[in-house]
PDB file of all heavy atoms in Angstrom:
ATOM      1  N   VAL A   1      94.094  82.573  87.695  1.00  0.00           N
ATOM      2  CA  VAL A   1      93.102  82.211  88.711  1.00  0.00           C
ATOM      3  C   VAL A   1      92.196  83.419  88.889  1.00  0.00           C
ATOM      4  O   VAL A   1      92.681  84.672  88.897  1.00  0.00           O
ATOM      5  CB  VAL A   1      93.865  81.926  90.034  1.00  0.00           C
ATOM      6  CG1 VAL A   1      92.799  81.899  91.212  1.00  0.00           C
ATOM      7  CG2 VAL A   1      94.629  80.623  89.971  1.00  0.00           C
ATOM      8  N   GLN A   2      90.984  83.175  88.947  1.00  0.00           N
ATOM      9  CA  GLN A   2      90.002  84.333  89.052  1.00  0.00           C
ATOM     10  C   GLN A   2      89.125  83.989  90.330  1.00  0.00           C
ATOM     11  O   GLN A   2      88.797  82.853  90.574  1.00  0.00           O
ATOM     12  CB  GLN A   2      89.042  84.425  87.806  1.00  0.00           C
ATOM     13  CG  GLN A   2      89.912  84.916  86.624  1.00  0.00           C
ATOM     14  CD  GLN A   2      88.857  85.105  85.452  1.00  0.00           C
ATOM     15  OE1 GLN A   2      87.916  84.392  85.245  1.00  0.00           O
ATOM     16  NE2 GLN A   2      89.222  86.052  84.554  1.00  0.00           N
ATOM     17  N   LEU A   3      88.676  85.001  90.951  1.00  0.00           N
ATOM     18  CA  LEU A   3      87.812  85.042  92.071  1.00  0.00           C
ATOM     19  C   LEU A   3      86.564  85.780  91.741  1.00  0.00           C
ATOM     20  O   LEU A   3      86.594  86.935  91.315  1.00  0.00           O
ATOM     21  CB  LEU A   3      88.394  85.628  93.340  1.00  0.00           C
ATOM     22  CG  LEU A   3      89.693  84.875  93.853  1.00  0.00           C
ATOM     23  CD1 LEU A   3      90.171  85.589  95.156  1.00  0.00           C
ATOM     24  CD2 LEU A   3      89.497  83.422  94.085  1.00  0.00           C
ATOM     25  N   GLN A   4      85.372  85.135  91.952  1.00  0.00           N
ATOM     26  CA  GLN A   4      84.102  85.802  91.706  1.00  0.00           C
ATOM     27  C   GLN A   4      83.356  85.980  92.995  1.00  0.00           C
ATOM     28  O   GLN A   4      82.881  84.990  93.600  1.00  0.00           O
ATOM     29  CB  GLN A   4      83.289  84.996  90.731  1.00  0.00           C
ATOM     30  CG  GLN A   4      82.008  85.576  90.293  1.00  0.00           C
ATOM     31  CD  GLN A   4      82.129  86.917  89.547  1.00  0.00           C
ATOM     32  OE1 GLN A   4      82.980  87.033  88.542  1.00  0.00           O
ATOM     33  NE2 GLN A   4      81.411  88.027  90.026  1.00  0.00           N
ATOM     34  N   CYS A  21      82.624  83.715  97.598  1.00  0.00           N
ATOM     35  CA  CYS A  21      83.719  83.933  96.671  1.00  0.00           C
ATOM     36  C   CYS A  21      84.157  82.595  96.105  1.00  0.00           C
ATOM     37  O   CYS A  21      84.650  81.796  96.931  1.00  0.00           O
ATOM     38  CB  CYS A  21      84.731  84.688  97.309  1.00  0.00           C
ATOM     39  SG  CYS A  21      86.192  85.045  96.316  1.00  0.00           S
ATOM     40  N   ALA A  22      83.987  82.386  94.771  1.00  0.00           N
ATOM     41  CA  ALA A  22      84.332  81.209  94.166  1.00  0.00           C
ATOM     42  C   ALA A  22      85.651  81.410  93.340  1.00  0.00           C
ATOM     43  O   ALA A  22      85.800  82.392  92.564  1.00  0.00           O
ATOM     44  CB  ALA A  22      83.274  80.680  93.265  1.00  0.00           C
ATOM     45  N   ALA A  23      86.539  80.472  93.530  1.00  0.00           N
ATOM     46  CA  ALA A  23      87.914  80.564  92.772  1.00  0.00           C
ATOM     47  C   ALA A  23      87.741  79.582  91.567  1.00  0.00           C
ATOM     48  O   ALA A  23      87.116  78.536  91.637  1.00  0.00           O
ATOM     49  CB  ALA A  23      88.940  80.167  93.717  1.00  0.00           C
ATOM     50  N   SER A  24      88.400  80.018  90.476  1.00  0.00           N
ATOM     51  CA  SER A  24      88.569  79.131  89.269  1.00  0.00           C
ATOM     52  C   SER A  24      89.889  79.353  88.741  1.00  0.00           C
ATOM     53  O   SER A  24      90.629  80.428  88.919  1.00  0.00           O
ATOM     54  CB  SER A  24      87.417  79.443  88.299  1.00  0.00           C
ATOM     55  OG  SER A  24      87.484  80.805  87.892  1.00  0.00           O
ATOM     56  N   GLY A  25      90.310  78.388  87.889  1.00  0.00           N
ATOM     57  CA  GLY A  25      91.523  78.517  87.284  1.00  0.00           C
ATOM     58  C   GLY A  25      92.558  77.383  87.720  1.00  0.00           C
ATOM     59  O   GLY A  25      92.133  76.329  88.348  1.00  0.00           O
ATOM     60  N   SER A  26      93.844  77.654  87.509  1.00  0.00           N
ATOM     61  CA  SER A  26      94.839  76.666  87.792  1.00  0.00           C
ATOM     62  C   SER A  26      95.171  76.691  89.225  1.00  0.00           C
ATOM     63  O   SER A  26      96.113  77.310  89.582  1.00  0.00           O
ATOM     64  CB  SER A  26      96.040  76.896  86.974  1.00  0.00           C
ATOM     65  OG  SER A  26      96.999  75.935  87.096  1.00  0.00           O
ATOM     66  N   ILE A  27      94.480  75.878  90.025  1.00  0.00           N
ATOM     67  CA  ILE A  27      94.769  75.769  91.497  1.00  0.00           C
ATOM     68  C   ILE A  27      95.031  74.356  91.790  1.00  0.00           C
ATOM     69  O   ILE A  27      94.207  73.493  91.586  1.00  0.00           O
ATOM     70  CB  ILE A  27      93.570  76.292  92.259  1.00  0.00           C
ATOM     71  CG1 ILE A  27      93.286  77.765  91.989  1.00  0.00           C
ATOM     72  CG2 ILE A  27      93.817  76.091  93.796  1.00  0.00           C
ATOM     73  CD1 ILE A  27      92.023  78.365  92.567  1.00  0.00           C
ATOM     74  N   PHE A  28      96.196  74.086  92.280  1.00  0.00           N
ATOM     75  CA  PHE A  28      96.624  72.680  92.790  1.00  0.00           C
ATOM     76  C   PHE A  28      96.128  72.421  94.129  1.00  0.00           C
ATOM     77  O   PHE A  28      95.578  71.509  94.556  1.00  0.00           O
ATOM     78  CB  PHE A  28      98.007  72.478  92.610  1.00  0.00           C
ATOM     79  CG  PHE A  28      98.514  71.106  93.234  1.00  0.00           C
ATOM     80  CD1 PHE A  28      98.175  69.953  92.420  1.00  0.00           C
ATOM     81  CD2 PHE A  28      99.166  71.027  94.338  1.00  0.00           C
ATOM     82  CE1 PHE A  28      98.586  68.782  93.000  1.00  0.00           C
ATOM     83  CE2 PHE A  28      99.583  69.762  94.934  1.00  0.00           C
ATOM     84  CZ  PHE A  28      99.239  68.682  94.246  1.00  0.00           C
ATOM     85  N   SER A  29      96.407  73.431  94.972  1.00  0.00           N
ATOM     86  CA  SER A  29      95.963  73.379  96.355  1.00  0.00           C
ATOM     87  C   SER A  29      95.603  74.746  96.909  1.00  0.00           C
ATOM     88  O   SER A  29      96.233  75.754  96.646  1.00  0.00           O
ATOM     89  CB  SER A  29      97.040  72.768  97.283  1.00  0.00           C
ATOM     90  OG  SER A  29      98.139  73.625  97.303  1.00  0.00           O
ATOM     91  N   LEU A  30      94.455  74.791  97.710  1.00  0.00           N
ATOM     92  CA  LEU A  30      94.022  76.038  98.279  1.00  0.00           C
ATOM     93  C   LEU A  30      94.457  76.173  99.739  1.00  0.00           C
ATOM     94  O   LEU A  30      94.385  75.146 100.559  1.00  0.00           O
ATOM     95  CB  LEU A  30      92.490  76.155  98.332  1.00  0.00           C
ATOM     96  CG  LEU A  30      91.854  76.874  97.109  1.00  0.00           C
ATOM     97  CD1 LEU A  30      90.304  76.756  97.319  1.00  0.00           C
ATOM     98  CD2 LEU A  30      92.162  78.320  97.112  1.00  0.00           C
ATOM     99  N   ASP A  32      95.230  79.378 102.732  1.00  0.00           N
ATOM    100  CA  ASP A  32      94.362  80.257 103.515  1.00  0.00           C
ATOM    101  C   ASP A  32      93.425  81.034 102.625  1.00  0.00           C
ATOM    102  O   ASP A  32      93.791  81.282 101.404  1.00  0.00           O
ATOM    103  CB  ASP A  32      95.242  81.368 104.192  1.00  0.00           C
ATOM    104  CG  ASP A  32      96.045  80.752 105.395  1.00  0.00           C
ATOM    105  OD1 ASP A  32      95.946  79.514 105.599  1.00  0.00           O
ATOM    106  OD2 ASP A  32      96.814  81.535 105.966  1.00  0.00           O
ATOM    107  N   MET A  33      92.203  81.255 103.057  1.00  0.00           N
ATOM    108  CA  MET A  33      91.248  82.060 102.353  1.00  0.00           C
ATOM    109  C   MET A  33      90.682  83.049 103.323  1.00  0.00           C
ATOM    110  O   MET A  33      90.604  82.846 104.482  1.00  0.00           O
ATOM    111  CB  MET A  33      89.994  81.103 101.834  1.00  0.00           C
ATOM    112  CG  MET A  33      90.527  79.996 101.006  1.00  0.00           C
ATOM    113  SD  MET A  33      89.166  78.870 100.503  1.00  0.00           S
ATOM    114  CE  MET A  33      88.484  79.826  99.058  1.00  0.00           C
ATOM    115  N   LYS A  75      85.821  75.180  95.960  1.00  0.00           N
ATOM    116  CA  LYS A  75      86.836  76.252  95.918  1.00  0.00           C
ATOM    117  C   LYS A  75      86.145  77.598  96.218  1.00  0.00           C
ATOM    118  O   LYS A  75      86.424  78.663  95.672  1.00  0.00           O
ATOM    119  CB  LYS A  75      87.557  76.375  94.641  1.00  0.00           C
ATOM    120  CG  LYS A  75      88.351  75.102  94.262  1.00  0.00           C
ATOM    121  CD  LYS A  75      88.959  75.219  93.037  1.00  0.00           C
ATOM    122  CE  LYS A  75      89.771  73.835  92.548  1.00  0.00           C
ATOM    123  NZ  LYS A  75      90.315  73.933  91.227  1.00  0.00           N
ATOM    124  N   CYS A  94      87.555  89.253  98.752  1.00  0.00           N
ATOM    125  CA  CYS A  94      88.096  87.962  99.119  1.00  0.00           C
ATOM    126  C   CYS A  94      89.533  87.738  98.673  1.00  0.00           C
ATOM    127  O   CYS A  94      89.997  88.347  97.568  1.00  0.00           O
ATOM    128  CB  CYS A  94      87.177  86.865  98.535  1.00  0.00           C
ATOM    129  SG  CYS A  94      86.892  86.881  96.841  1.00  0.00           S
ATOM    130  N   ASN A  95      90.229  86.949  99.374  1.00  0.00           N
ATOM    131  CA  ASN A  95      91.594  86.667  99.043  1.00  0.00           C
ATOM    132  C   ASN A  95      91.894  85.226  99.151  1.00  0.00           C
ATOM    133  O   ASN A  95      91.362  84.660 100.172  1.00  0.00           O
ATOM    134  CB  ASN A  95      92.521  87.447  99.748  1.00  0.00           C
ATOM    135  CG  ASN A  95      93.941  87.148  99.649  1.00  0.00           C
ATOM    136  OD1 ASN A  95      94.588  86.462 100.480  1.00  0.00           O
ATOM    137  ND2 ASN A  95      94.612  87.718  98.608  1.00  0.00           N
ATOM    138  N   ILE A  96      92.705  84.639  98.308  1.00  0.00           N
ATOM    139  CA  ILE A  96      93.124  83.222  98.521  1.00  0.00           C
ATOM    140  C   ILE A  96      94.537  83.179  98.394  1.00  0.00           C
ATOM    141  O   ILE A  96      95.234  83.922  97.658  1.00  0.00           O
ATOM    142  CB  ILE A  96      92.422  82.247  97.611  1.00  0.00           C
ATOM    143  CG1 ILE A  96      92.827  82.562  96.113  1.00  0.00           C
ATOM    144  CG2 ILE A  96      90.914  82.353  97.650  1.00  0.00           C
ATOM    145  CD1 ILE A  96      92.458  81.412  95.141  1.00  0.00           C
ATOM    146  N   ARG A  97      95.231  82.152  99.125  1.00  0.00           N
ATOM    147  CA  ARG A  97      96.545  81.837  98.869  1.00  0.00           C
ATOM    148  C   ARG A  97      96.620  80.331  98.406  1.00  0.00           C
ATOM    149  O   ARG A  97      95.822  79.504  98.979  1.00  0.00           O
ATOM    150  CB  ARG A  97      97.424  82.024 100.145  1.00  0.00           C
ATOM    151  CG  ARG A  97      97.351  83.531 100.728  1.00  0.00           C
ATOM    152  CD  ARG A  97      98.332  83.616 101.835  1.00  0.00           C
ATOM    153  NE  ARG A  97      99.753  83.379 101.315  1.00  0.00           N
ATOM    154  CZ  ARG A  97     100.509  84.258 100.739  1.00  0.00           C
ATOM    155  NH1 ARG A  97      99.961  85.512 100.404  1.00  0.00           N
ATOM    156  NH2 ARG A  97     101.642  84.076 100.387  1.00  0.00           N
ATOM    157  N   TYR A  98      97.347  80.077  97.357  1.00  0.00           N
ATOM    158  CA  TYR A  98      97.248  78.802  96.741  1.00  0.00           C
ATOM    159  C   TYR A  98      98.569  78.384  95.976  1.00  0.00           C
ATOM    160  O   TYR A  98      99.452  79.326  95.896  1.00  0.00           O
ATOM    161  CB  TYR A  98      96.088  78.756  95.656  1.00  0.00           C
ATOM    162  CG  TYR A  98      96.414  79.739  94.472  1.00  0.00           C
ATOM    163  CD1 TYR A  98      96.890  79.265  93.361  1.00  0.00           C
ATOM    164  CD2 TYR A  98      96.191  81.189  94.585  1.00  0.00           C
ATOM    165  CE1 TYR A  98      97.230  80.047  92.186  1.00  0.00           C
ATOM    166  CE2 TYR A  98      96.532  82.037  93.474  1.00  0.00           C
ATOM    167  CZ  TYR A  98      97.007  81.434  92.349  1.00  0.00           C
ATOM    168  OH  TYR A  98      97.285  82.248  91.332  1.00  0.00           O
ATOM    169  N   ARG A  99      98.655  77.073  95.699  1.00  0.00           N
ATOM    170  CA  ARG A  99      99.815  76.563  94.963  1.00  0.00           C
ATOM    171  C   ARG A  99      99.195  76.226  93.559  1.00  0.00           C
ATOM    172  O   ARG A  99      98.145  75.640  93.532  1.00  0.00           O
ATOM    173  CB  ARG A  99     100.378  75.390  95.538  1.00  0.00           C
ATOM    174  CG  ARG A  99     100.934  75.658  96.986  1.00  0.00           C
ATOM    175  CD  ARG A  99     102.282  76.352  96.938  1.00  0.00           C
ATOM    176  NE  ARG A  99     102.756  76.703  98.173  1.00  0.00           N
ATOM    177  CZ  ARG A  99     103.687  76.010  98.883  1.00  0.00           C
ATOM    178  NH1 ARG A  99     104.258  74.823  98.324  1.00  0.00           N
ATOM    179  NH2 ARG A  99     104.066  76.389 100.097  1.00  0.00           N
ATOM    180  N   SER A 100      99.894  76.723  92.555  1.00  0.00           N
ATOM    181  CA  SER A 100      99.460  76.408  91.155  1.00  0.00           C
ATOM    182  C   SER A 100      99.833  75.040  90.646  1.00  0.00           C
ATOM    183  O   SER A 100      99.210  74.597  89.692  1.00  0.00           O
ATOM    184  CB  SER A 100     100.053  77.533  90.259  1.00  0.00           C
ATOM    185  OG  SER A 100     101.410  77.526  90.289  1.00  0.00           O
ATOM    186  N   SER A 101     100.744  74.383  91.338  1.00  0.00           N
ATOM    187  CA  SER A 101     101.061  72.933  90.923  1.00  0.00           C
ATOM    188  C   SER A 101     101.825  72.354  92.091  1.00  0.00           C
ATOM    189  O   SER A 101     102.114  72.904  93.104  1.00  0.00           O
ATOM    190  CB  SER A 101     102.121  72.990  89.718  1.00  0.00           C
ATOM    191  OG  SER A 101     103.333  73.479  90.151  1.00  0.00           O
ATOM    192  N   ASP A 107     103.431  79.971  97.905  1.00  0.00           N
ATOM    193  CA  ASP A 107     101.970  80.321  97.765  1.00  0.00           C
ATOM    194  C   ASP A 107     101.855  81.550  96.855  1.00  0.00           C
ATOM    195  O   ASP A 107     102.778  82.491  96.829  1.00  0.00           O
ATOM    196  CB  ASP A 107     101.308  80.673  99.020  1.00  0.00           C
ATOM    197  CG  ASP A 107     101.066  79.504  99.908  1.00  0.00           C
ATOM    198  OD1 ASP A 107     101.316  78.331  99.390  1.00  0.00           O
ATOM    199  OD2 ASP A 107     100.523  79.657 100.954  1.00  0.00           O
ATOM    200  N   LEU A 108     100.915  81.553  95.920  1.00  0.00           N
ATOM    201  CA  LEU A 108     100.501  82.828  95.305  1.00  0.00           C
ATOM    202  C   LEU A 108      99.238  83.263  95.873  1.00  0.00           C
ATOM    203  O   LEU A 108      98.526  82.638  96.650  1.00  0.00           O
ATOM    204  CB  LEU A 108     100.190  82.323  93.849  1.00  0.00           C
ATOM    205  CG  LEU A 108     101.323  81.757  92.988  1.00  0.00           C
ATOM    206  CD1 LEU A 108     100.888  81.351  91.588  1.00  0.00           C
ATOM    207  CD2 LEU A 108     102.585  82.737  92.896  1.00  0.00           C
ATOM    208  N   SER A 109      99.051  84.578  95.669  1.00  0.00           N
ATOM    209  CA  SER A 109      97.788  85.228  96.166  1.00  0.00           C
ATOM    210  C   SER A 109      96.928  85.887  95.105  1.00  0.00           C
ATOM    211  O   SER A 109      97.507  86.353  94.070  1.00  0.00           O
ATOM    212  CB  SER A 109      98.242  86.476  97.123  1.00  0.00           C
ATOM    213  OG  SER A 109      97.177  87.154  97.601  1.00  0.00           O
ATOM    214  N   SER A 110      95.684  85.793  95.323  1.00  0.00           N
ATOM    215  CA  SER A 110      94.750  86.343  94.279  1.00  0.00           C
ATOM    216  C   SER A 110      93.551  87.111  95.046  1.00  0.00           C
ATOM    217  O   SER A 110      93.225  86.573  96.052  1.00  0.00           O
ATOM    218  CB  SER A 110      94.133  85.268  93.375  1.00  0.00           C
ATOM    219  OG  SER A 110      93.353  85.788  92.361  1.00  0.00           O
ATOM    220  N   TRP A 111      93.061  88.190  94.405  1.00  0.00           N
ATOM    221  CA  TRP A 111      92.081  88.966  95.046  1.00  0.00           C
ATOM    222  C   TRP A 111      90.806  88.973  94.201  1.00  0.00           C
ATOM    223  O   TRP A 111      90.911  88.979  92.929  1.00  0.00           O
ATOM    224  CB  TRP A 111      92.542  90.459  95.137  1.00  0.00           C
ATOM    225  CG  TRP A 111      93.577  90.643  96.273  1.00  0.00           C
ATOM    226  CD1 TRP A 111      94.948  90.613  96.073  1.00  0.00           C
ATOM    227  CD2 TRP A 111      93.305  90.944  97.648  1.00  0.00           C
ATOM    228  NE1 TRP A 111      95.556  90.809  97.245  1.00  0.00           N
ATOM    229  CE2 TRP A 111      94.645  91.048  98.281  1.00  0.00           C
ATOM    230  CE3 TRP A 111      92.255  91.129  98.416  1.00  0.00           C
ATOM    231  CZ2 TRP A 111      94.746  91.297  99.605  1.00  0.00           C
ATOM    232  CZ3 TRP A 111      92.349  91.447  99.784  1.00  0.00           C
ATOM    233  CH2 TRP A 111      93.616  91.478 100.317  1.00  0.00           C
ATOM    234  N   GLY A 112      89.711  89.003  94.808  1.00  0.00           N
ATOM    235  CA  GLY A 112      88.380  89.185  94.092  1.00  0.00           C
ATOM    236  C   GLY A 112      88.174  90.663  93.731  1.00  0.00           C
ATOM    237  O   GLY A 112      88.919  91.525  94.208  1.00  0.00           O
ATOM    238  N   GLN A 113      87.103  90.930  93.013  1.00  0.00           N
ATOM    239  CA  GLN A 113      86.862  92.219  92.548  1.00  0.00           C
ATOM    240  C   GLN A 113      86.200  93.214  93.465  1.00  0.00           C
ATOM    241  O   GLN A 113      86.101  94.386  93.313  1.00  0.00           O
ATOM    242  CB  GLN A 113      85.964  92.171  91.308  1.00  0.00           C
ATOM    243  CG  GLN A 113      84.480  92.051  91.522  1.00  0.00           C
ATOM    244  CD  GLN A 113      84.089  90.657  91.845  1.00  0.00           C
ATOM    245  OE1 GLN A 113      84.813  89.716  92.194  1.00  0.00           O
ATOM    246  NE2 GLN A 113      82.665  90.421  91.793  1.00  0.00           N
TER     247      GLN A 113
END
Side-chain angles (χ1 to χ4, degrees):
V1 170
Q2 292 185 330
L3 301 182
Q4 182 65 48
C21 177
S24 62
S26 182
I27 298 173
F28 174 73
S29 66
L30 265 177
D32 291 0
M33 306 178 82
K75 298 180 183 176
C94 55
N95 174 264
I96 65 167
R97 297 189 64 81
Y98 66 98
R99 298 281 175 102
S100 58
S101 75
D107 286 357
L108 299 176
S109 176
S110 184
W111 290 90
Q113 82 279 15

